[in-house]
C-alpha cells in the first residue's frame, strides 16, 4: 500500500493523515469543507513541529511529511487511486453507511475500506458495500501520532487477507495492532465507557466531586488522567453516542447513559471541544478546574 485516503479532517482524521504521511505514505485528506481542511493542515504542521522540538523526528522528516499530504473536497476524486481508505467522519451510523456506499462506487476494486469508528458495527457498515470482505475497523486512539494502539476489528465477512494487510500496515506506522471481533464497543470502549459512565454516576449521586473522583482513579489506579477529564477529552457527545450503541447492542441497563451526561450534552457542554464539560477549558491556559456547576460552595 502506498496511497492512503482519509475521510474527515477533524481531530482523528488529521491525526491519522499525520501518522501515515510521517511514515512515508502519500495521503489524500478529504473533507466537504475547504476551511476544515485548511485548519487540519495547520494542526498537522503544528503537531509535526512539536515532534521536532521534542526530538521525536527530524526537521527533514517534518518537511517531507507535509509534502505527502494533499487535500480535496471531492471524495470520488480523492479515492480514485487509493489502496486504503480510512473513514474518520462523525460517529453517526447513517452518515457512515452513506459514505461507504459512495466509497464502494468510487474506489478501485482492490481498495480496502476501513472505518475509525469507536463502536459502530463493522458488519453493518460493510453491508452498504459490494465488498464486505474488504471492509474492516481501524480504531486509532487519540492523539493518533502519539498513541501506540490500533484496534483492528473484523466484521462478519472481513477476509483473512484484509485483516493481515491492515495488521501489517499498522505495524509499519510503529503502532501495536490488536485484532478483535465485531461486538458492540469492541474491547476498548466496552470496558472504558462503563467506567466513565460510573464515574459520572458517582458525581451525579453526590458520592464525591469532580477532582476527588479523578484523583482517586489517577493515584489509586495509576491512570494518566481521571475518567471525567478523559470524558471531556474524548467529547461528552461521543461518550453518549458510544454508550447508546452499547445499550442498544446488549440490551443491558448497566450501559444506560447517566442522566447527568445526557443533560450536559443537551446543554451543549461537550468537554474540551466546547470549552465546558466537567472542567472549564480556556484557550492558552493549562489551569484545570471544575466547571462552575461542579465547584464547591
Amino acid at each position: 500500500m502506498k496511497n492512503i485516503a482519509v475521510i474527515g479532517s477533524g481531530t482523528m482524521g488529521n491525526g491519522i493523515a499525520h501518522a501515515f504521511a510521517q511514515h512515508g505514505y502519500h495521503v489524500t485528506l478529504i473533507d466537504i469543507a475547504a476551511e476544515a481542511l485548511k485548519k487540519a493542515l495547520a494542526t498537522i504542521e503544528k503537531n509535526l513541529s512539536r515532534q521536532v522540538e521534542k526530538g521525536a523526528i527530524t526537521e527533514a522528516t517534518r518537511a517531507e511529511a507535509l509534502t505527502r499530504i494533499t487535500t480535496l473536497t471531492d471524495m470520488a476524486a480523492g479515492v480514485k487511486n487509493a489502496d486504503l481508505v480510512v473513514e474518520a467522519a462523525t460517529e453517526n451510523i447513517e452518515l457512515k453507511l452513506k459514505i461507504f456506499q459512495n466509497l464502494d462506487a468510487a474506489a478501485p476494486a482492490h481498495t480496502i475500506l476501513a472505518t475509525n469508528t469507536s463502536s459502530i458495527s463493522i458488519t453493518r457498515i460493510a453491508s452498504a458495500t459490494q465488498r464486505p470482505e474488504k471492509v474492516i475497523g481501524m480504531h486509532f486512539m487519540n492523539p493518533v501520532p502519539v498513541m501506540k494502539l490500533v484496534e483492528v476489528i473484523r466484521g462478519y465477512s472481513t477476509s483473512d487477507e484484509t485483516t493481515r494487510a491492515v495488521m501489517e500496515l499498522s505495524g509499519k506506522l510503529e503502532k501495536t495492532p490488536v485484532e478483535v471481533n465485531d461486538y458492540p464497543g469492541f474491547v476498548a470502549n466496552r470496558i472504558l465507557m462503563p467506567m466513565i459512565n460510573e464515574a459520572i454516576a458517582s458525581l451525579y449521586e453526590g458520592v464525591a466531586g469532580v477532582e476527588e473522583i479523578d484523583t482517586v482513579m489517577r493515584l489509586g489506579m495509576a491512570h494518566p488522567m481521571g475518567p471525567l477529564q478523559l470524558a471531556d477529552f474524548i467529547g461528552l457527545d461521543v461518550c453518549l453516542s458510544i454508550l447508546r450503541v452499547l445499550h442498544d447492542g446488549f440490551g443491558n441497563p448497566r450501559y444506560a447513559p447517566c442522566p447527568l451526561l445526557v443533560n450536559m450534552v443537551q446543554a451543549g457542554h461537550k468537554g474540551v471541544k466546547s470549552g465546558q464539560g466537567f472542567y472549564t477549558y480556556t484557550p492558552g491556559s493549562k489551569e484545570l478546574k471544575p466547571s462552575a456547576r461542579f465547584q464547591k460552595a
Side-chain angles (χ1 to χ4, degrees), residues 18-32:
H18 173 157
F20 275 108
Q22 181 184 324
H23 288 86
Y25 294 89
H26 297 285
V27 180
T28 303
L29 183 58
I30 303 163
D31 200 298
I32 58 173

Side-chain angles (χ1 to χ4, degrees), residues 40-206:
L41 280 179
T43 298
I44 292 169
E45 185 167 6
K46 178 182 176 182
N47 289 338
L48 283 165
S49 296
R50 185 178 292 126
Q51 287 178 288
V52 173
E53 292 169 7
K54 292 181 176 180
I57 61 172
T58 65
E59 173 58 32
T61 298
R62 183 197 75 84
E64 289 168 7
L66 289 171
T67 67
R68 295 189 189 105
I69 302 173
T70 302
T71 61
L72 282 175
T73 55
D74 184 335
M75 186 170 72
V79 304
K80 67 180 181 180
N81 295 315
D83 300 307
L84 169 74
V85 178
V86 183
E87 171 272 319
T90 304
E91 196 76 345
N92 177 291
I93 181 60
E94 297 306 324
L95 174 63
K96 289 184 187 295
L97 291 174
K98 183 63 176 176
I99 288 172
F100 272 77
Q101 185 179 31
N102 292 337
L103 286 174
D104 189 43
H110 76 276
T111 306
I112 292 174
L113 306 180
T115 173
N116 183 58
T117 182
S118 56
S119 62
I120 296 170
S121 168
I122 307 305
T123 303
R124 187 173 179 192
I125 291 172
S127 71
T129 77
Q130 299 300 311
R131 61 178 94 186
E133 75 285 354
K134 291 185 177 295
V135 177
I136 195 165
M138 204 173 182
H139 180 207
F140 290 86
M141 305 294 130
N142 186 28
V144 178
V146 176
M147 300 293 279
K148 293 297 184 182
L149 176 67
V150 178
E151 205 175 18
V152 177
I153 307 105
R154 294 186 66 139
Y156 186 82
S157 300
T158 306
S159 70
D160 291 341
E161 182 183 9
T162 296
T163 304
R164 195 160 47 245
V166 170
M167 294 285 284
E168 290 174 1
L169 179 63
S170 300
K172 290 176 181 177
L173 297 179
E174 298 183 67
K175 305 295 186 188
T176 300
V178 176
E179 181 182 336
V180 304
N181 289 316
D182 186 19
Y183 291 93
F186 317 133
V187 170
N189 283 316
R190 181 172 179 169
I191 295 171
L192 175 62
M193 286 302 153
M195 183 192 74
I196 286 176
N197 199 41
E198 195 61 32
I200 298 170
S202 296
L203 177 66
Y204 177 60
E205 294 168 8

